[in-house]
Amino acid sequence: MNITKEQIDDLNAIVKVAITKEDYQDKVDHILSDYRKSANVPGFRKGHVPMGLIKKQYGKAVLVDEVNKLLQDNLNKYLTEEKLDVLGNPLPKQQDNFDWDNEELAFEFELGLAPDFEVPLKTKKPITHYKIVADDKMVNEQVDRILKQHGKLINKDAVEKDNEVSGTFKNEEEEIDNKATLELDKIKSKKALDALKGKKVGDVVTLKSKGLFKEEYLLSSVFGVSQEKAADLDVEATFTIEEINEREPAKLDQELFDKLFGKDEVKSEKDLKQRIKDDSEKQFEQQSDQKLLNDITEYFIENTKFELPSEFLTKWIQTTGENPLTEEEANEEYEKSEKGLRYQLIEGKVIKENDIQLQFEELKEFAKGFIKQQMAQFGQLNPQEEELDNIAARVLGNQDEVKRLSEQLMSQKLLTLYKEKVNLKTKEVTYENFVKEVYG
């Protein structure tokens, strides 16, 4: 067998494979011999069918199968040994009137090669890293929310000022179907307040999304949509009233502190506010980090310039799917996937050049941390190490979960690297201003 490469340009090459009879004949003869031993052909005893008849019936299929195996194994080996960084998979070139009876079989494969490029982590333009703080307004609102949440609930017959009204929002066009509770003191729209006041359980009210709340970020959770979608939402939705309550706030005393945080963990209103501030800002870090990762990703995609073997990749998309695509469909699919492919190459380059690796033990510890967070949501705050190990072993036995957790851990490692290397500028904002800046 002989394999050679013809370089077309920096991004395209042709690999030529020449296979002789000696490369496959012994294997083909051995398989046909096994077929002969087990073949059931009318008129012949089992194991005594003439080899000529076996070759006539099975020879071509076995030959094709064995040659394809040889091609696959040796082509992959060649690409590895030559350290060729290919995109997609080699595409066999169409050969008209191919003759499988030739003593020497020749095949050609098109290759799309990964481009050579650099990714300077020290960005020219500083990228904003938001530090989200919980201001006094947010902390005080959270205290009020806690007092209401743990206060006494008094059922009402009709909606009055500052009541809580529970029900279901619906809008078919935007696929909104979400149960929510409206706190009337948070509603900004006078028209909405007037529409709600005096209504009873079972009544249906139509409310406009635009300008509904004093704090715009509340629209996301009430309508059950993302912050991005909520920022641009301007629709009418029906609200079917299911429950009306007045809430008598709880007392801010040691009994409440112990109920919320454990005995003597919080001893005063000042302690409570500091605890709320610290916990809120810790949660905000996740949103800030995700925003930073998204912004750095976009920066690299926009500012890392390189060509792709687009013609090859379009042909690869067209021919390798479950159902072959038309040229137009393949072009559309390539345009959709090009940005993602560019970032895969950029990310792969960053990972390789900075020697970022995932070890099984750290993946296991990452999984255990994720499990602990989930258990804490159900009140299990101090799980045993053995229990965590057992659950982690089950989770890591699922390949889909391994892939998902590996991607999350790699994102975390990349973020740590970016925080060290990328040109960042820290901007301190309240959560309200963060939402306004990020989501409009």
Side-chain angles (χ1 to χ4, degrees):
M1 180 181 296
N2 185 37
I3 303 179
T4 56
K5 177 170 71 75
E6 177 188 340
Q7 194 77 29
I8 306 300
D9 55 39
D10 289 343
L11 299 174
N12 296 274
I14 300 288
V15 168
K16 299 179 179 181
V17 185
I19 297 178
T20 63
K21 203 169 186 178
E22 288 75 17
D23 293 321
Y24 59 80
Q25 194 60 56
D26 287 348
K27 184 69 174 175
V28 169
D29 289 344
H30 180 73
I31 292 171
L32 290 175
S33 178
D34 286 343
Y35 276 22
R36 185 183 182 217
K37 292 174 185 175
S38 58
N40 287 311
V41 179
F44 298 95
R45 284 185 297 143
K46 189 174 181 179
H48 290 78
V49 180
M51 180 54 80
L53 191 59
I54 294 294
K55 286 182 178 179
K56 184 177 180 181
Q57 190 166 353
Y58 302 108
K60 186 61 64 67
V62 172
L63 168 64
V64 172
D65 190 45
E66 287 307 308
V67 168
N68 280 330
K69 286 179 185 175
L70 266 175
L71 281 171
Q72 189 69 43
D73 293 345
N74 287 279
L75 191 55
N76 287 339
K77 185 180 176 184
Y78 175 81
L79 296 177
T80 302
E81 289 175 349
E82 294 295 314
K83 297 179 180 177
L84 293 175
D85 193 359
V86 299
L87 301 179
N89 293 314
L91 283 179
K93 288 192 75 174
Q94 190 69 35
Q95 299 182 65
D96 297 328
N97 304 317
F98 189 83
D99 188 358
W100 286 95
D101 294 324
N102 281 339
E103 289 291 314
E104 185 173 294
L105 304 174
F107 302 89
E108 293 186 359
F109 294 88
E110 296 178 60
L111 300 183
L113 304 176
D116 188 27
F117 59 93
E118 298 298 322
V119 188
L121 293 182
K122 195 70 176 176
T123 55
K124 292 179 183 178
K125 175 186 171 185
I127 296 174
T128 301
H129 184 202
Y130 290 94
K131 178 175 173 28
I132 308 171
V133 296
D135 60 354
D136 290 343
K137 179 186 174 187
M138 171 175 272
V139 171
N140 290 332
E141 285 177 351
Q142 183 65 11
V143 171
D144 290 342
R145 196 173 295 118
I146 288 170
L147 294 179
K148 283 184 178 180
Q149 184 181 348
H150 294 274
K152 185 180 177 184
L153 211 58
I154 302 168
N155 191 256
K156 307 291 286 186
D157 292 327
V159 178
E160 298 173 6
K161 182 182 177 183
D162 294 341
N163 282 173
E164 294 179 9
V165 186
S166 298
T168 301
F169 276 102
K170 286 191 178 183
N171 177 291
E172 284 188 20
E173 187 179 344
E174 296 293 337
E175 297 181 346
I176 294 168
D177 187 350
N178 191 58
K179 288 186 178 294
T181 297
L182 292 178
E183 297 177 48
L184 265 61
D185 60 351
K186 289 186 170 55
I187 292 180
K188 176 183 178 182
S189 168
K190 187 176 184 302
K191 189 177 282 189
L193 288 170
D194 290 342
L196 286 163
K197 283 177 184 174
K199 293 296 187 291
K200 298 181 178 181
V201 171
D203 287 346
V204 179
V205 181
T206 299
L207 302 174
K208 287 195 69 171
S209 62
K210 204 74 173 174
L212 182 59
F213 293 105
K214 296 173 184 176
E215 309 292 350
E216 291 180 5
Y217 69 87
L218 293 172
L219 192 66
S220 168
S221 58
V222 167
F223 273 35
V225 297
S226 66
Q227 287 283 6
E228 292 94 331
K229 184 171 181 177
D232 297 321
L233 202 61
D234 187 4
V235 296
E236 288 187 339
T238 60
F239 180 64
T240 304
I241 297 173
E242 295 163 4
E243 192 175 348
I244 305 164
N245 292 302
E246 180 183 345
R247 201 174 280 270
E248 186 179 287
K251 291 181 180 178
L252 202 59
D253 56 18
Q254 193 61 47
E255 183 181 350
L256 179 62
F257 300 153
D258 291 348
K259 181 180 179 181
L260 292 171
F261 303 106
K263 187 166 177 58
D264 293 334
E265 288 291 320
V266 170
K267 295 184 178 180
S268 66
E269 182 177 348
K270 182 181 177 182
D271 288 350
L272 172 66
K273 289 183 175 181
Q274 188 61 50
R275 181 68 175 259
I276 290 170
K277 181 177 173 64
D278 293 343
D279 289 350
S280 297
E281 290 178 355
K282 191 172 181 181
Q283 289 179 359
F284 295 154
E285 281 180 19
Q286 293 180 355
Q287 288 177 271
S288 172
D289 283 350
Q290 188 59 56
K291 169 65 176 165
L292 178 62
L293 189 60
N294 292 345
D295 287 348
I296 292 174
T297 297
E298 286 297 323
Y299 179 90
F300 284 152
I301 291 172
E302 292 298 321
N303 294 276
T304 308
K305 305 298 182 184
F306 53 82
E307 295 295 320
L308 289 170
S310 54
E311 189 176 331
F312 168 84
L313 289 169
T314 303
K315 190 188 295 186
W316 179 68
I317 290 170
Q318 185 178 1
T319 57
T320 57
E322 208 171 296
N323 299 308
L325 304 177
T326 65
E327 188 175 340
E328 185 180 351
E329 288 171 335
N331 280 321
E332 287 178 8
E333 198 61 37
Y334 174 71
E335 285 177 14
K336 288 179 192 173
S337 60
E338 184 186 1
K339 189 175 180 179
L341 175 58
R342 285 184 176 278
Y343 186 66
Q344 282 180 22
L345 291 170
I346 293 167
E347 187 183 75
K349 185 90 169 176
V350 172
I351 290 168
K352 184 178 179 181
E353 290 188 345
N354 292 277
D355 194 27
I356 302 175
Q357 299 178 23
L358 296 183
Q359 305 295 337
F360 179 77
E361 279 304 313
E362 61 183 350
L363 184 61
K364 180 181 175 184
E365 289 304 310
F366 183 73
K368 285 163 67 174
F370 187 73
I371 293 162
K372 281 179 76 172
Q373 287 179 10
Q374 289 186 314
M375 294 175 77
Q377 292 176 6
F378 296 95
Q380 294 176 264
L381 301 178
N382 295 300
Q384 296 295 314
E385 196 67 22
E386 185 180 354
E387 184 182 11
L388 286 173
D389 283 334
N390 290 336
I391 298 172
R394 289 199 297 273
V395 169
L396 295 176
N398 182 317
Q399 288 305 307
D400 289 337
E401 284 297 306
V402 170
K403 183 174 182 290
R404 185 178 66 83
L405 289 168
S406 296
E407 288 172 352
Q408 289 182 0
L409 180 55
M410 182 55 75
S411 291
Q412 197 176 88
K413 283 175 171 273
L414 284 169
L415 187 62
T416 300
L417 174 72
Y418 294 155
K419 284 181 177 179
E420 292 173 3
K421 304 286 187 181
V422 172
N423 182 13
L424 302 179
K425 63 174 181 181
T426 302
K427 183 173 184 179
E428 192 170 290
V429 292
T430 64
Y431 183 71
E432 182 181 351
N433 287 335
F434 172 76
V435 171
K436 284 179 181 176
E437 283 196 34
V438 173
Y439 306 111

